[in-house]
Amino acid sequence: PRTGNAAVDNVNYKDEYELLDSATLAKRLYVDKRVQQSNESSLTKDLIENDEGLVWPVNMEKEEDEKAFPFIGDNQYVGVIHADGNGLGEILLALKEEIKKADRADYQNQFLMFSNKLNEATKLAARCATKEVLVSRADKVVPARPLVLGGDDLSFIVRADLAIPFAAKFIQYFEEVTEAKLGDMEILKNLKIENLTACAGIAFIKAKQPFYLAYELAESLCKYAKTISKSTRKKNNLALTPSSIAFHRITTSMIDDYPSIMQNELIVGERLLTLQPYVVGGLHANMPALSSLVKLKSILRNDAFSAGPLRELASLIYTDKQSADNRFDRWLTVMRSKHASLLSDFEEALNNLCTECGMKRSPNGLFFENSASDFVKLTQFTPLPDVIDWIAVEGNQYAEFENLY
């Protein structure tokens, strides 16, 4: 009944018998095995303590199941996260040359030591982020599922309201833990490598949308964040590539890579309708900070704030430049008369983002202007669609994390 293919077995499933074809039967047996071993798998056992009393979800369907993914209400958004360390290839090449220069006999041991320490650091960073963001917000089922964890890579499915906080916290811990783990390697001290940074991409999708396309988009977003961070490092002559996060909410039936999405959905004339990526961690330089976007989001979530017109404006800027500017001017006039103090906070948050980017505000303040853009013919940028998308995937129930960003 599920596929129309020939049935090979009549299986008892939830007290009812069901005819299954060979492929569905194989999947069902695999899932049943994973359910039995879910809390003992190589991935999950590294992330939470055995005495936490929590289980990991094995079912993305919204139904009565003790291990179903713990969505909140009707919000079915999840964040598919892919994070990757920055500049690892360069470090390995430098490590190789340093070993040759020192004529060390323990060539293999040095690489093995580095690899093991990096792997330990990644797992420990993920464990700390899991405890602080996921376990602290879990009832019985952890609102996430790990997919890849090792080397300098991390891939997770996380409930949408926790996806950006989790990615941000993982990156912060990754910077801290790699400094602690790698700091005692003498050969790295010679290279003046104290810690590593990382970038992450997050694709927000509904639970029933194609996962593999979302995962490819998350990888593409991570790659885009790396590209901008590397460019920032080069321009500012930084020792390390800044850690950053890029995210995108899928609202169309076609899921493409991020450069294609930018070209088809986010570029309107000379305007780019995003300010991504947002920098996290300890290294900031001419990049908008995720912490500043958080402040802007908190202001827009204020019940007294007239955010509805801004959501309409976020849609209008895709289609009509002049009408969008006029609508924003009218909104500013209304806000000055009704909520001057709140508007001042809104303006301050925008100014902080603009200053961090090294840009200036447009005449009406809606866009940030930059005559020396990395993007040909693009001179205006805005964070408004980013924060509106973040609010949309969070839903009505969300958690603010102090000192997280």
Side-chain angles (χ1 to χ4, degrees):
R2 288 176 177 264
T3 66
N5 294 328
V8 298
D9 203 349
N10 197 22
V11 177
N12 188 339
Y13 181 65
K14 293 185 177 180
D15 297 327
E16 293 184 6
Y17 280 89
E18 182 179 12
L19 292 168
L20 300 178
D21 69 359
S22 59
T24 306
L25 178 62
K27 293 176 183 177
R28 185 69 58 77
L29 292 174
Y30 175 75
V31 169
D32 289 345
K33 182 179 179 181
R34 289 298 298 272
V35 168
Q36 296 170 8
Q37 300 177 347
S38 61
N39 285 328
E40 301 175 359
S41 72
S42 59
L43 282 180
T44 56
K45 72 178 182 180
D46 290 325
L47 294 171
I48 59 175
E49 300 287 349
N50 293 331
D51 59 359
E52 293 282 3
L54 299 174
V55 297
W56 293 90
V58 296
N59 181 7
M60 295 296 291
E61 298 289 336
K62 187 180 180 182
E63 59 182 60
E64 294 299 324
D65 186 327
E66 63 180 7
K67 292 189 177 181
F69 200 92
F71 293 108
I72 298 178
D74 294 329
N75 186 356
Q76 294 281 297
Y77 271 110
V78 296
V80 179
I81 302 172
H82 178 70
D84 189 18
N86 291 323
L88 188 61
E90 296 176 12
I91 292 173
L92 291 176
L93 288 175
L95 185 61
K96 177 181 177 180
E97 294 303 316
E98 186 67 21
I99 292 173
K100 285 182 176 180
K101 187 189 306 182
D103 193 26
R104 301 181 72 106
D106 57 346
Y107 185 94
Q108 292 180 329
N109 289 336
Q110 289 295 314
F111 271 97
L112 180 60
M113 184 187 304
F114 176 81
S115 177
N116 288 339
K117 286 180 176 292
L118 177 60
N119 192 53
E120 291 171 5
T122 300
K123 289 184 177 181
L124 180 55
R127 184 187 182 96
C128 293
T130 296
K131 182 176 182 178
E132 186 164 343
V133 178
L134 302 179
V135 171
S136 65
R137 295 301 188 277
D139 183 11
K140 295 180 180 179
V141 183
V142 182
R145 186 75 204 184
L147 305 174
V148 175
L149 182 60
D152 65 333
D153 290 329
L154 172 144
S155 296
F156 263 66
I157 299 174
V158 179
R159 198 173 66 202
D161 60 308
L162 301 175
I164 294 177
F166 176 78
K169 202 61 190 178
F170 166 75
I171 288 175
Q172 288 183 359
Y173 277 123
F174 183 79
E175 290 187 1
E176 295 173 9
V177 177
T178 52
E179 182 175 10
K181 291 284 185 180
L182 301 177
D184 58 356
M185 285 190 67
E186 177 186 347
I187 196 164
L188 292 180
K189 292 180 181 178
N190 296 338
L191 294 171
K192 297 182 179 180
I193 297 173
E194 298 180 353
N195 70 324
L196 300 180
T197 61
C199 289
I202 308 173
F204 287 107
I205 61 166
K206 293 291 184 67
K208 293 186 178 181
Q209 288 181 281
F211 166 77
Y212 78 98
L213 292 175
Y215 188 77
E216 289 178 356
L217 175 56
E219 288 185 316
S220 180
L221 283 159
C222 182
K223 183 178 180 180
Y224 173 74
K226 281 173 168 285
T227 299
I228 300 301
S229 289
K230 287 178 182 178
S231 176
T232 300
R233 174 188 177 182
K234 184 177 180 180
K235 285 181 180 178
N236 295 275
N237 195 28
L238 302 175
L240 293 173
T241 300
S243 298
S244 64
I245 292 175
F247 60 89
H248 180 75
R249 176 170 68 111
I250 297 170
T251 58
T252 62
S253 57
M254 296 294 292
I255 305 176
D256 216 330
D257 59 35
Y258 193 59
S260 298
I261 288 174
M262 290 176 64
Q263 188 63 45
N264 297 326
E265 301 179 28
L266 302 179
I267 294 178
V268 180
E270 77 280 12
R271 294 177 164 182
L272 179 61
L273 307 183
T274 181
L275 204 60
Q276 303 204 53
Y278 292 91
V279 67
V280 293
L283 189 61
H284 293 198
N286 288 339
M287 291 181 69
L290 187 64
S291 57
S292 297
L293 190 69
V294 170
K295 292 178 182 177
L296 182 62
K297 179 173 70 74
S298 297
I299 294 168
L300 290 178
R301 277 200 169 277
N302 190 309
D303 292 337
F305 200 83
S306 182
L310 279 186
R311 285 192 290 269
E312 296 175 6
L313 177 63
S315 299
L316 191 60
I317 57 179
Y318 287 87
T319 57
D320 192 332
K321 171 183 175 180
Q322 190 59 51
S323 295
D325 289 342
N326 294 339
R327 180 73 64 86
F328 188 62
D329 287 336
R330 290 198 299 271
W331 178 81
L332 288 174
T333 301
V334 172
M335 288 298 296
R336 286 192 189 99
S337 63
K338 292 185 177 181
H339 301 289
S341 176
L342 203 54
L343 179 62
S344 177
D345 293 339
F346 175 77
E347 289 287 340
E348 182 182 357
L350 283 179
N351 286 334
N352 287 340
L353 283 165
C354 190
T355 300
E356 289 162 357
C357 297
M359 301 186 193
K360 64 178 182 178
R361 299 281 294 279
S362 61
N364 70 353
L366 177 58
F367 283 83
F368 303 164
E369 296 183 336
N370 183 11
S371 58
S373 169
D374 286 341
F375 302 94
V376 178
K377 298 182 180 179
L378 296 179
T379 59
Q380 293 190 333
F381 309 81
T382 178
L384 188 57
D386 297 335
V387 72
I388 295 297
D389 279 349
W390 191 352
I391 291 173
V393 299
E394 277 186 334
N396 294 326
Q397 298 187 34
Y398 67 100
E400 295 287 6
F401 292 83
E402 294 183 5
N403 303 320
L404 183 58
Y405 305 98

